[in-house]
Amino acid sequence: MSAASHWLVRSEAVAAAQAAGRPLVALESTIIAHGMPYPENVQTARAVEALIRELGAEPATIAVVGGRIRIGLSDEQLELLGRSGTAHKVSRRDLPAVLASGELGATTVAGTMVCAALAGIEVFVTGGIGGVHRGAETSFDISADLQELAKTSVAVVCAGAKSILDIGLTLEYLETQGVPVLSCGQDNFAAFYTRDSGLRADYRLDGAAQQARFIRAKWDLGLAGGVVLSTPVPEDAAMPRAEIDAITTQALAEAAAQGISGKAVTPFLLARIKALTGGRSLATNIALVKHNAQVGARLALALAASRF
Ligand code: PSU
Ligand code: MN
């Protein structure tokens, strides 16, 4: 048993699935604690888990509760995360702090990747990844998600990245770090609320078997690190580009005017966008996460079948 296993607790369902060799899909908890209002956050988390189960994989929502990394949450733990309002935002840097203090922690993309890898889970479904912020040439604000993708071997299924980021620089950074960006369903990288970022992904692979073969080849070669799999929000749930652009510009200006910095930047921007779009962005967010969950479950099944 490794020293890490002291800090990890699997739910019964996750432990049983792993013992039986069934594919798992990791899910993050920042989206529950910070990304959506209660009760939609908890309802969505449960709906996403159910979608993954329907497709034959086992969901493992990850968070830090009671000084342990939880791989798979009980209904009570989901509810706690959804209601508490006090969960810490936990990236790689913050994991030791919440484990040591025993406080509640909602894991980001980077934090969830660390935990998924420790638990032996290859596929992780999220909404949107963090990235290089606009103006990063002076602020140095580059999400730890990108460094995590560079070194931790987990496939991250997402609806691209929000345009609060400099998506072009985000893709450049991933290229430098050797992280492949795959797109499913279209040639271009997705932009979260809208389908098209205007920038090409590295490779378009629509089928789960193709995606799995690509990812397995990378890891079999010992090329450690993540893979981004972008899939666009379903057409009927996408938001108009002009509307989201205007709101993004306003949120960025407010952040600059208020001198928001460090780990508070992303939550501030996300909260402002949520407020400025009224309830509409929530429906888009829910639709894209559910769609990502289906893509991720199919990938997990294909990856499990692709071991040599
Ligand atoms: N982008 C989104 N939604 C999110 C996040 C980013 O569209 O919920 C969250 C994720 O948890 C991501 C984190 O890992 O913000 C990145 O924060 P930062 O930029 O501080 O690294
Ligand atoms: Mn940052």
Side-chain angles (χ1 to χ4, degrees), residues 3 11 46 50 53 57 93 98 114 137-138 153 159 229 269 274 276 287 293-294:
S11 68
R46 292 204 175 108
R53 275 197 199 99
R93 173 190 65 177
V98 279
V114 171
E137 62 274 21
T138 50
S153 300
L229 175 58
L269 293 172
K274 209 160 46 180
L276 292 166
Q294 292 171 315

Side-chain angles (χ1 to χ4, degrees), residues 147-160:
Q147 270 304 306
E148 206 57 52
L149 281 160
K151 61 189 161 218
T152 299
S153 300
V154 172
V156 180
V157 181
C158 63

Side-chain angles (χ1 to χ4, degrees), residues 89 131 133 140-144 165 261-267:
K89 172 183 164 188
H133 281 258
F140 271 41
D141 193 350
I142 299 173
S143 175
L165 302 171
S261 68
K263 74 187 275 187
V265 172
T266 297

